Amino acid sequence: MKYLRINDLKMLALAMVIFAVLQLLITGHIMSSFWQLNLIIIGINVIMSVSLNLINGYTGQFSLGHAGFMAVGAYVSIVLTTNFQVPFFFAILAGAIAAGILGFLIGIPTLRLRGDYLAIATLGMSEIIRICIMNIQYVGGAAGFKGIPHHTTFAWVFFFMLFTLFFIKNFVNSTDGRACLAIRENEIAAESMGINTTKYKIMAFTIGASFAGVAGALFGHAFYLVSPNSFTFMQSFNYLIMVVLGGLGSITGSIAGAFVVTFISAALASWPEFRMIIYALALILMMFYRPQGLFGYMEVTNTALFRKFLSKPAVKTATDNSEKGGSANG
Amino acid sequence: MAEAKEDKALLRATDVSEVFGGLKAVADFNFHIDKGELVGLIGPNGAGKTTAFNLFTGVYQPTTGQIVFDGKSIVGLKPYQITQRGIARTFQNIRLFSELTVLDNVKIAFHFHVKYGLLETVLRMGRYFTEEERIDKEARDLLKIFHLEDKADEVAKNLPYGAQRRLEIARALAAKPKLLLLDEPAAGMNPQETKELMDMIRWIRKEFGLTVLLIEHDMSLVMGICERIYVLEYGQIIASGTPEVIQKDPEVIRAYLGGEA
Amino acid sequence: MDLLTQIVQQLINGISLGSIYALIALGYTMIYGIIKLINFAHGDIYMVGAYIGFFAITQAHLSIVPALLISLVTTGFLGMVVERLAYKPLRHAPRISVLITAIGVSFFLEYTSMYFVSPTPRTFPAVFGDVAVNIGDIVINGQQLLIFGITAVLMVVLTYIVQRTKLGKAMRAASYDTETAQLMGIDSDRIISFTFGIGSALAAVAGVLVGIYYNSIDPLMGIMPGMKAFVAAVLGGIGILPGAVLGGLILGIVEALVSGFISSTFRDAAAFAILIIVLLVKPTGLFGKNTKEKV
């Protein structure tokens, strides 16, 4: 299976080229600051949507509270950098760990619930998190936390995004990832195949929450001020839209969803009603005509174009890179 | 004497009953299957056959009684723990991972036997590659036995019905059970397919040194293949013994002819 | 005011708020009971009801009762249209698809309303002067009396419809077992449509009452009460009508007590905390029975 490692390197090289081009556009002041900021937001949104996809798409547990974990990551990291001068990298790490621990603690009771009940419970949990933050005067309460050092650059976002993609891609292509897929497909059968379904639901939820924490930390340091209003359930819905439009169970889809939604939001910033009406219609029409989302379970790395670029497995059929099960060897 | 018998039985249920809201689905259920045996569980619809399976696999917990597998009680264990102890099953209403490939369906069942950790997964190092290679090979070998090797990359829900039933058995075997429970494996199959399935069950039992318990409606299959048969009616065992004994048992004839004909 | 008076006063406030939750929760619970859908858009139906009432009073200069009736009928009809257009095509789709559609419908109602009526909150006209009943230090104001009265009337009407009429009986049959009901000759599409109609009509009344109670309405006013009404429905046992009423009242009282004695910022947190506790301790709710998936 050496070909997988070679493919990883190829994808890494491709990513580096993309990074170099974008970075040149930024340092050369060719890209306007408006688009620079949007690029950072796209990167953060990719982390959010891919990590939410691990929970909602791959494991089939419908979470509606992803913004809550983002809030935890943001607040933990901005307190550390602003009040304790902790280096940015470690602050991000701390934010991720805090969000992960909270995800774990929230996951244990709520993941016993199914489908729509879980959706409302996670939404409720994230609102409780937000209301709690609003009532902590140490972090500025409802007015928000001011005077945050501006650490987040495009490079930070890009490499953390790359790490997230790499991590989640490898996870879903492993036995643990397959366990998660099995839970999505048929929980009773998964259990009877020796899979501890509770453990894997919580694992997916915790990993997803940790990456939301990373995204939150990056988001927090992109602005001078962060307030609890940035993490309402409307924000969670926003990430849900990205995942659903892109495809529940496709990393490519989540990336595409993050791009499309961020662009629409930026382009229609002056007409917020239209933006939301478009999302609303897109969600409804998508459920009518293509409920699996734009990409379904497909990955761009499985398309003919990419297959030429990537190495083939030594055995006669592509196994690790099968169409279904969301493999993305990149 | 009882001690010696305990040792021989791979699975033993003693005085098991299961009550759903005042209704006894299974009562005074005494059952055993020895290592290497192929036993059938038959009975009219609603007799409690699938309930017995659900009790053996931890989907239901017995209201009273004891279930011992391989010398240890399995009462109170979760289904996945029981599978890890060595009981695997198929379902009456097929429960495949329908959106996944045939190969992935089987690979999932290896889960408990895969030896690499989360760190090795995420960084793609250590045992990840060797183990994935091994699972891939073993899964394909299993598919070959069930004539599914050329369908490895197809999505499970697109398989024809008979192939789906076979895939379910292949998947159960991937969990490397000592005891295989088959819930109506021939349901919906034509006589030709049923015959092939019988041969297959015989063969895998020998090849894997399995103990097999099957629920079946198809009398010819049960009589042709099973060494011992239990007959359930209204949640109680009304007869047990070799196919010849069962065929002549007046209680069984009454239950079948009186109940269903 | 001594502590006891305060508690009683908060109880009265809580019951008024709870009655409104109960009216919305009834729609939630009926709809969930029949098609197993958390109708995320239900709170927005309530918002539309409030606006129709508002325009009936301010533009058409109607008095409160005709305004309520117009809102009730129009919004009930809107609920049926939403069901017909958005949910009916997905009758056999996975539940998550329908849930996502409901979220879409919710956004659609919120933001098209925002487009037409502007996002700024409107001041609901005072339909009562300063009518108030004083019992010692305890005050029950006119708005609260109106809420109690109208809620009570609607409960009686609803009970009559569900228990006595043919449609109501069919509704109960369909929510018990849709397929069997269909085999018994019940037109389930019609029943579902009817359920959406009734549920939406009740929500519309709640919308108008809230407008009168708080004097202010805006296009996003439905989100929170919508979710809280869902909490109320779950608390009482989803699909059970008396459960929704009880759940609504309990939720209203708890919220009033939390805002009265702790801090109003924790009001919303209390509702969600109740939801999570109920789901963990008794997911079927106060009146619910246990069911298990057949293997």
Side-chain angles (χ1 to χ4, degrees), chain A residues 14-328:
Chain A
L14 182 68
M16 292 316 292
V17 171
I18 294 172
F19 173 73
V21 170
L22 289 172
Q23 190 61 52
L24 267 176
L25 288 176
I26 292 168
T27 35
H29 298 292
I30 300 163
M31 191 184 283
S32 72
S33 57
F34 174 76
W35 284 109
Q36 281 183 36
L37 180 64
N38 267 305
L39 214 53
I40 285 176
I41 292 175
I42 286 174
I44 292 170
N45 286 349
V46 167
I47 299 176
M48 287 301 285
S49 61
V50 172
S51 58
L52 183 64
N53 203 352
L54 177 66
I55 303 168
N56 288 24
Y58 288 99
T59 318
Q61 305 302 306
F62 205 80
S63 165
L64 274 184
H66 219 43
F69 299 119
M70 192 183 187
V72 172
Y75 272 89
V76 167
S77 67
I78 56 183
V79 165
L80 287 176
T81 52
T82 318
N83 293 359
F84 298 96
Q85 282 75 46
V86 173
F88 188 34
F89 181 81
F90 293 106
I92 296 175
L93 217 60
I97 291 168
I101 291 173
L102 200 68
F104 178 78
L105 294 177
I106 289 177
I108 290 174
T110 51
L111 287 167
R112 286 178 9 203
L113 306 167
R114 237 175 277 171
D116 31 19
Y117 280 91
L118 177 67
I120 298 277
T122 47
L123 191 156
M125 281 290 191
S126 81
E127 279 297 289
I128 292 175
I129 293 174
R130 194 177 65 87
I131 292 166
C132 287
I133 293 174
M134 272 171 69
N135 285 284
I136 301 172
Q137 286 315 312
Y138 179 70
V139 295
F145 194 104
K146 291 182 200 73
I148 306 160
H150 193 296
H151 282 314
T152 304
T153 61
F154 174 64
W156 279 102
V157 173
F158 188 87
F159 286 105
F160 267 102
M161 180 189 81
L162 204 61
F163 175 71
T164 310
L165 292 175
F166 190 72
F167 188 108
I168 292 187
K169 170 206 61 112
N170 284 352
F171 181 80
V172 296
N173 283 305
S174 72
T175 187
D176 294 339
R178 283 194 297 265
C180 292
L181 289 169
I183 294 170
R184 175 189 78 192
E185 290 296 314
N186 195 321
E187 204 171 327
I188 288 171
E191 182 100 357
S192 80
M193 289 301 120
I195 290 165
N196 182 347
T197 50
T198 315
K199 175 182 156 190
Y200 283 98
K201 282 187 205 172
I202 292 173
M203 190 189 275
F205 201 70
T206 308
I207 293 175
S210 309
F211 280 108
V214 170
L218 292 167
F219 179 83
H221 292 84
F223 305 97
Y224 172 75
L225 175 130
V226 159
S227 89
N229 288 335
S230 310
F231 308 106
T232 60
F233 59 87
M234 288 304 280
Q235 212 47 42
S236 295
F237 280 149
N238 219 13
Y239 301 120
L240 181 79
I241 292 171
M242 296 176 198
V243 173
V244 170
L245 293 187
L248 286 158
S250 162
I251 292 175
T252 314
S254 295
I255 299 171
F259 264 85
V260 170
V261 170
T262 318
F263 272 115
I264 292 178
S265 301
L268 296 179
S270 330
W271 301 280
E273 294 101 21
F274 278 126
R275 182 174 69 108
M276 294 310 292
I277 293 171
I278 289 173
Y279 289 161
L281 291 175
L283 278 183
I284 297 169
L285 293 176
M286 192 64 98
M287 288 304 111
F288 278 13
Y289 299 108
R290 201 172 158 76
Q292 70 272 43
L294 282 176
F295 283 85
Y297 300 125
M298 209 186 72
E299 296 295 354
V300 69
T301 42
N302 287 329
T303 55
L305 184 74
F306 258 83
R307 277 180 191 280
K308 272 185 206 151
F309 170 70
L310 297 170
S311 304
K312 304 254 172 348
V315 288
K316 56 185 186 300
T317 42
T319 63
D320 187 89
N321 211 351
S322 54
E323 301 287 341
K324 303 290 156 173
S327 342

Side-chain angles (χ1 to χ4, degrees), chain A residues 1 5 167 169-171 173-175 178 182 185-186 189 191-192 194-196 200 297 317 319 324, chain B residues 79-80 83-84 91 95 97-99 107-108 111 116 118 121-122 124 128-129 132-133 136 140 155:
Chain A
M1 298 224 168
R5 230 176 257 179
F167 188 108
K169 170 206 61 112
N170 284 352
F171 181 80
N173 283 305
S174 72
T175 187
R178 283 194 297 265
E185 290 296 314
N186 195 321
E191 182 100 357
S192 80
I195 290 165
N196 182 347
Y200 283 98
Y297 300 125
T317 42
T319 63
K324 303 290 156 173
Chain B
Y80 76 89
T83 310
Q84 292 175 357
F91 295 89
R95 282 177 183 269
F97 306 122
S98 46
E99 295 286 344
K107 278 184 176 178
I108 285 166
H111 181 74
Y116 60 78
L118 187 59
T121 296
V122 169
R124 288 251 168 117
Y128 174 80
F129 289 106
E132 280 293 305
E133 223 155 334
D136 193 74
R140 282 172 193 283
V155 181

Side-chain angles (χ1 to χ4, degrees), chain C residues 22-60:
Chain C
L23 286 177
I24 312 173
L26 279 168
Y28 257 119
T29 220
M30 285 195 288
I31 291 168
Y32 193 93
I34 212 153
I35 58 168
K36 301 285 172 285
L37 161 72
I38 298 179
N39 185 13
F40 254 96
H42 197 61
D44 306 302
I45 297 268
Y46 145 96
M47 174 271 297
V48 173
Y51 269 94
I52 293 174
F54 171 79
F55 287 118
I57 294 170
T58 56
Q59 307 295 316

Side-chain angles (χ1 to χ4, degrees), chain C residues 188-217:
Chain C
S188 66
D189 282 342
R190 206 169 125 244
I191 297 302
I192 292 169
S193 185
F194 176 70
T195 309
F196 269 85
I198 295 210
S200 305
L202 291 173
V205 175
V208 178
L209 290 177
V210 149
I212 295 168
Y213 193 38
Y214 290 127
N215 301 325
S216 167
I217 58 172

